Amino acid sequence: MSYNLLKGKRGIIFGALDENSIAWKTAELAHAEGATFVLTNAPIAMRMGTINELAEKTGSQIIPADATSLEDLENLISQSVEILGGKLDFVLHSIGMSVNVRKGKAYTNQNYDWTQKGWDVSAVSFHKVMQTLYKQDAMSEWGSILALTYMAAQRTFPDYNDMADNKAYLESIARSFGYFFGKDKKVRVNTISQSPTPTTAGQGVKGFDGFISYAEKMSPLGNATAQECAEYSITLFSDYTKKVTMQNLFHDGGFSNTGVSQEVIEKF
Ligand code: NAI
């Protein structure tokens, strides 16, 4: 069912790798809700993923960009405004990667070159995206910028490794830039803190199966799916959430406010 919530809105969607990606589901739904947008991902992900299929389905153009490269971002944003025929109403940053996680380095034995790469890709890239949007004055008034995060930014999940620190950094950037984007451009900036979700990035976390089952049993409403995350994101791009900004919004079936659940107690 579609409500035309994004009728006439223009945007950029980062991070659709394959059909499991949260960004993929968001792109499908944004299209169904009447938006037009440009799809983007890192050049290497273009070769690994299936983004062409999504572009065809949603009538979108693809512009490759490494989200850590200012040059790529400048090109992406100016070209998107041109292709879409006007300033942008929404931007989704759905990007995360830790080299330490990928290569199995423990939190207590980091390779700091990899740590740095991880925060550049997962957190500072959000600043770079926003700074480029800001400098090019590429956002429409009452536009909405959104990034995805995880609760390990607030509470310790040992296997989440340095991604926990990257997410804390990301959430802080959303608040800090949200102030300036709000004051100067009437644009809102938020993060959604999503349940564990079986995607390429999610499944990279050690012990993911146990992690996701535990969260499922702890959440009164159960884990939020990628599709449900897309649905929530669309409301944040719509005109019905104009004064929501600088927030970290938990989308997790109640997990973050649950101390313990009956199902978990019964396990002991
Ligand atoms: P995914 O693996 O489908 O998406 C991650 C994307 O980041 C990929 O498309 C990848 O190509 C892109 N990316 C990596 N390096 C990049 C770079 N240098 N430039 C541009 N793009 C780059 O996984 P998922 O789960 O859809 O991830 C989306 C977001 O959701 C991430 O921020 C992730 O941390 C967050 N998240 C995921 C959860 C999960 O359990 N899957 C839970 C909470 C948040």
Side-chain angles (χ1 to χ4, degrees):
M1 194 163 35
S2 151
Y3 305 92
N4 262 335
L5 279 181
L6 302 188
K7 191 168 177 223
K9 294 199 185 294
R10 310 176 180 99
I12 299 179
I13 297 180
F14 288 79
L17 180 65
D18 57 33
E19 61 182 3
N20 298 317
S21 300
I22 296 168
W24 184 289
K25 311 275 187 212
T26 310
E28 286 180 328
L29 196 55
H31 173 64
E33 291 291 344
T36 54
F37 46 82
V38 165
L39 293 168
T40 182
N41 210 326
I44 186 170
M46 302 280 169
R47 296 196 289 275
M48 291 160 46
T50 48
I51 197 170
N52 284 324
E53 192 189 307
L54 179 65
E56 219 167 281
K57 229 195 230 187
T58 58
S60 310
Q61 293 203 32
I62 305 170
I63 302 177
D66 176 342
T68 63
S69 156
L70 280 175
E71 200 188 329
D72 284 8
L73 291 173
E74 281 158 10
N75 172 59
L76 165 71
I77 290 165
S78 58
Q79 273 207 53
S80 298
V81 169
E82 210 176 293
I83 290 169
L84 298 168
K87 290 191 189 186
L88 308 170
D89 303 291
F90 67 94
V91 173
L92 176 67
H93 176 287
S94 186
I95 298 172
M97 195 277 301
S98 155
V99 190
N100 286 305
V101 167
R102 274 203 188 166
K103 305 211 172 179
K105 276 268 180 197
Y107 188 74
T108 47
N109 185 30
Q110 302 278 288
N111 172 322
Y112 290 113
D113 290 337
W114 296 349
T115 308
Q116 193 167 335
K117 176 80 185 159
W119 56 247
D120 197 16
V121 170
S122 308
V124 180
S125 68
F126 192 40
H127 194 287
K128 290 177 176 170
V129 167
M130 288 197 281
Q131 184 165 295
T132 309
L133 289 164
Y134 185 93
K135 283 189 174 170
Q136 290 190 10
D137 197 20
M139 292 298 296
S140 296
E141 278 197 1
W142 303 112
S144 176
I145 302 173
L146 184 62
L148 296 175
T149 186
Y150 182 58
M151 210 187 59
Q154 287 79 34
R155 297 191 199 167
T156 299
F157 293 80
D159 288 335
Y160 207 66
N161 209 314
D162 59 335
M163 273 308 286
D165 306 327
N166 297 339
K167 290 305 193 190
Y169 194 175
L170 176 83
E171 291 174 20
S172 179
I173 288 172
R175 280 188 296 275
S176 302
F177 223 125
Y179 175 84
F180 295 100
F181 247 124
K183 271 274 177 209
D184 302 341
K185 315 268 188 195
K186 291 198 171 60
V187 167
R188 59 202 188 277
V189 181
N190 295 290
T191 49
I192 291 181
S193 186
Q194 164 68 9
S195 293
T197 314
T199 60
T200 304
Q203 281 163 333
V205 178
K206 198 171 124 208
F208 182 78
D209 291 347
F211 205 55
I212 194 169
S213 313
Y214 171 71
E216 174 73 20
K217 295 219 178 327
M218 277 287 285
S219 312
L221 294 178
N223 287 332
T225 63
Q227 180 63 29
E228 287 160 341
C229 188
E231 289 161 5
Y232 190 27
S233 302
I234 298 297
T235 68
L236 290 168
F237 295 150
S238 82
D239 289 335
Y240 289 132
T241 51
K242 275 189 187 151
K243 292 282 170 80
V244 180
T245 195
M246 301 160 72
Q247 300 298 319
N248 180 41
L249 303 159
F250 288 101
H251 182 247
D252 63 1
F255 179 86
S256 47
N257 270 343
T258 302
V260 76
S261 67
Q262 196 55 40
E263 287 92 325
V264 170
I265 286 180
E266 278 163 14
K267 286 257 172 211
F268 294 89

